Amino acid sequence: MRATHLLLISVCVCLTPSLLLAQEANHLRGMNLYENHCTKCHESRVHIRDDRKAKSLQEIRAYIQRWINVEQLDWTESEIDDVLQYLNTEYYKYSK
Ligand code: HEC
């Protein structure tokens, strides 16, 4: 095995856990934001009802945007992304 291969493998092995940890951290942040700010009107059941309204990642994002405006929450793009990923991973499971 060539040295570059060994180097690549060790880079991958070292980076994977930290990427997973970062993903996990974002998921938790999305969950906390959602639970703290979004569950006073609806339970998460709204995202799995038969006639759910958000039909794509784009539409989920539009809903998040709509409600943070109503609630006057000052979320950053990355916070919006975390909530989007959280809702999608937990409920919608859209690929686009
Ligand atoms: C003031 C009450 C209220 C708050 C606060 C609220 N929502 Fe909602 N949300 C609603 C209502 C009512 C609906 C259903 C609207 C409809 O049927 O068109 C809804 C629907 C949604 C949907 C679409 C569900 C579907 O059918 O697919 C999403 C996504 C959503 N809300 C996300 C959020 C997020 C994220 C937050 C927090 C930032 C939030 N909501 C906060 C009242 C609220």
Side-chain angles (χ1 to χ4, degrees):
M1 193 179 294
R2 278 197 281 147
T4 45
H5 287 156
L6 280 176
L7 183 68
L8 271 179
I9 289 168
S10 51
V11 167
C12 294
V13 169
C14 295
L15 281 183
T16 309
S18 59
L19 281 177
L20 286 177
L21 281 179
Q23 241 173 33
E24 183 66 10
N26 289 348
H27 188 81
L28 286 178
R29 189 165 71 144
M31 181 181 87
N32 285 330
L33 285 167
Y34 179 77
E35 287 186 347
N36 287 331
H37 300 283
C38 310
T39 50
K40 66 177 172 193
C41 294
H42 47 73
E43 294 175 38
S44 43
R45 219 171 345 143
V46 74
H47 308 298
I48 48 170
R49 57 187 175 166
D50 285 341
D51 59 339
R52 62 188 185 180
K53 300 280 170 60
K55 306 278 192 217
S56 65
L57 290 175
Q58 192 77 33
E59 289 184 20
I60 305 173
R61 183 183 288 278
Y63 265 106
I64 298 172
Q65 195 70 59
R66 167 178 164 194
W67 292 113
I68 60 177
N69 287 344
V70 171
E71 293 296 295
Q72 301 187 319
L73 300 169
D74 202 11
W75 287 2
T76 62
E77 278 302 309
S78 95
E79 287 171 322
I80 295 174
D81 280 344
D82 289 348
V83 172
L84 174 64
Q85 289 311 327
Y86 167 72
L87 289 179
N88 195 49
T89 313
E90 292 290 319
Y91 308 109
Y92 293 96
K93 306 190 193 298
Y94 296 140
S95 57
K96 59 180 182 152

